[in-house]
Amino acid sequence: MYLVCGEALFDVFSQADSPRSSELDFKAIAGGSPFNVAVGLRRLGAQSALFGGLSSDYLGARLRRVLQEEQVDCSHLVVSEAPTTLAMVGLNADGSAQYQFRGDGCADRQVRLEHLPVLDGQVRGIHVGSYTLVVQPVADTLLALVQRESERRLISLDPNVRLNTQPDVALWRRQVEAFAAHAHLIKASEEDLTLLYPQRDPAEVAQGWLSPRCRLVFVTHGANGASAHTAQGSWKRPADTSRPLRDTVGAGDTFQAAVLGGLATLNADSPQALAALTREAIDDLLEFAIRAAAITCSRVGPDLPFAREL
């Protein structure tokens, strides 16, 4: 089982313009990067649990209902009366998403050190990422968790930088580096790396993360595919263009879930087994994750694929 850590929220999409200027129509879809990864893992057949803050309001109840329907373990959720975060999503002409978050004081941030879970042997890996890496108090809590567990379980990291939640790039950089020091597997988008390290080549950043602990880094390049970086070398695969592009919401989360799910299928969801993967096995993971992300991009919103679709 993977313990996926971070936010659960609603992505709010603007619909076609109303005939009246005084009206706006919206469609809200359950999401949040860690939420999507937890759901994506279950859809691919891997066990997952979500550790994060959830509101007791009606939106929080709806998020819990989705998790239960998707069979994500909810036993580590931290419930509070704080409201549910809303992410206002705008789509560019190429289908890429822009976000504005309504999240100050919301439930997903209210996870404190006293909420740290006691984990049993079922939890093989821990995944962290997105803005709960930088907003408090949850950021300190998650860092304490990976520090505590990194010698015993596989730690994976996806920065998924969202400057609308915290515009301080230097803070993002410090926090990402603090989490990366405990990670065995890192996945980042080229956009993330350009934001964090504007003067450096993304491939150089990815290769710099490799260490005796971190054995595998994936970088996604949007329409240009994705690349793998290991001690055995670096290489790239093109994007899967066999499907129509609707939008890119949830594509990175799908890639992450596919990588983690693939590791579970290979019984490589431990630091030792990850380090022993061959280049061929890593290339298969890369290709699988690209295909999975293409399915999500062919649908509206973070509608991640099921194993049968792959």
Side-chain angles (χ1 to χ4, degrees), residues 89-99 191 245-248:
V89 186
L91 299 178
N92 296 327
D94 62 357
S96 61
Q98 293 186 337
Y99 296 86
E191 181 182 8
L245 173 65
R246 300 292 296 279
D247 69 49
T248 63

Side-chain angles (χ1 to χ4, degrees), residues 150-211:
S150 62
E151 298 301 325
R152 290 177 282 184
R153 307 175 207 273
L154 182 74
I155 306 296
S156 69
L157 167 67
D158 175 7
N160 200 24
V161 177
R162 294 286 181 259
L163 294 182
N164 280 311
T165 60
Q166 171 50 261
D168 186 343
V169 175
L171 174 60
W172 272 97
R173 190 180 304 118
R174 289 195 301 272
Q175 288 295 102
V176 168
E177 290 173 354
F179 280 91
H182 301 282
H184 305 97
L185 165 67
I186 301 174
K187 172 256 163 187
S189 69
E190 183 176 343
E191 181 182 8
D192 287 342
L193 297 182
T194 301
L195 286 171
L196 292 171
Y197 305 100
Q199 306 304 319
R200 297 175 62 187
D201 180 69
E204 175 195 344
V205 177
Q207 292 158 3
W209 273 332
L210 295 172
S211 70

Side-chain angles (χ1 to χ4, degrees), residues 7 16 42 45 76 84 119 123 153 155 181 205 234 248 284 289 299:
E7 71 269 11
R42 289 299 298 127
H76 297 298
T84 298
L119 305 179
V123 177
R153 307 175 207 273
I155 306 296
V205 177
S234 299
T248 63
D284 286 344
R299 309 198 276 226

Side-chain angles (χ1 to χ4, degrees), residues 27-51:
K27 181 178 183 179
I29 301 176
S33 178
F35 179 97
N36 292 338
V37 172
V39 169
L41 281 165
R42 289 299 298 127
R43 291 187 175 189
L44 293 175
Q47 298 296 316
S48 70
L50 185 65
F51 172 53

Side-chain angles (χ1 to χ4, degrees), residues 4-308:
V4 183
C5 308
E7 71 269 11
L9 51 80
F10 272 96
D11 290 318
V12 182
F13 295 81
S14 178
Q15 300 298 287
D17 287 343
S18 167
R20 298 179 60 184
S21 299
S22 58
E23 295 178 355
L24 285 174
D25 293 329
F26 294 99
K27 181 178 183 179
I29 301 176
S33 178
F35 179 97
N36 292 338
V37 172
V39 169
L41 281 165
R42 289 299 298 127
R43 291 187 175 189
L44 293 175
Q47 298 296 316
S48 70
L50 185 65
F51 172 53
L54 199 70
S55 177
S56 59
D57 65 14
Y58 74 100
L59 292 175
R62 189 61 171 256
L63 289 168
R64 180 186 288 272
R65 175 177 161 187
V66 175
L67 291 169
Q68 291 171 337
E69 289 175 350
E70 298 283 354
Q71 299 182 315
V72 175
D73 186 332
C74 295
S75 61
H76 297 298
L77 293 174
V78 178
V79 179
S80 73
E81 295 182 356
T84 298
T85 294
L86 299 178
M88 313 304 291
V89 186
L91 299 178
N92 296 327
D94 62 357
S96 61
Q98 293 186 337
Y99 296 86
Q100 290 185 338
F101 290 86
R102 308 292 192 269
D104 288 346
C106 287
D108 51 10
R109 307 182 183 210
Q110 308 308 314
V111 181
R112 304 177 184 278
L113 290 172
E114 59 263 31
H115 298 131
L116 280 173
V118 176
L119 305 179
D120 60 23
Q122 279 189 301
V123 177
R124 302 270 295 167
I126 295 172
H127 174 68
V128 293
S130 197
Y131 66 77
T132 45
L133 300 179
V134 298
V135 297
Q136 298 295 352
V138 63
D140 284 349
T141 304
L142 297 186
L143 184 57
L145 178 64
V146 299
Q147 287 173 332
R148 190 188 78 184
E149 300 293 336
S150 62
E151 298 301 325
R152 290 177 282 184
R153 307 175 207 273
L154 182 74
I155 306 296
S156 69
L157 167 67
D158 175 7
N160 200 24
V161 177
R162 294 286 181 259
L163 294 182
N164 280 311
T165 60
Q166 171 50 261
D168 186 343
V169 175
L171 174 60
W172 272 97
R173 190 180 304 118
R174 289 195 301 272
Q175 288 295 102
V176 168
E177 290 173 354
F179 280 91
H182 301 282
H184 305 97
L185 165 67
I186 301 174
K187 172 256 163 187
S189 69
E190 183 176 343
E191 181 182 8
D192 287 342
L193 297 182
T194 301
L195 286 171
L196 292 171
Y197 305 100
Q199 306 304 319
R200 297 175 62 187
D201 180 69
E204 175 195 344
V205 177
Q207 292 158 3
W209 273 332
L210 295 172
S211 70
R213 178 185 298 276
C214 182
R215 307 304 291 267
L216 178 56
V217 178
F218 288 114
V219 178
T220 57
H221 304 280
N224 294 316
S227 56
H229 304 269
T230 77
Q232 305 165 51
S234 299
W235 67 95
K236 188 175 181 180
R237 273 188 170 270
D240 181 346
T241 58
S242 64
R243 298 170 184 270
L245 173 65
R246 300 292 296 279
D247 69 49
T248 63
V249 178
D253 304 329
T254 304
F255 188 101
Q256 182 73 60
V259 167
L260 295 177
L263 290 175
T265 299
L266 295 170
N267 292 317
D269 51 351
S270 70
Q272 298 78 16
L274 179 72
L277 283 179
T278 64
R279 178 181 173 125
E280 291 73 21
I282 293 169
D283 191 52
D284 286 344
L285 276 178
L286 178 61
E287 188 271 339
F288 179 70
I290 289 172
R291 281 196 291 122
I295 293 175
T296 298
C297 289
S298 72
R299 309 198 276 226
V300 174
D303 185 4
L304 281 68
F306 290 86
R308 61 180 179 269

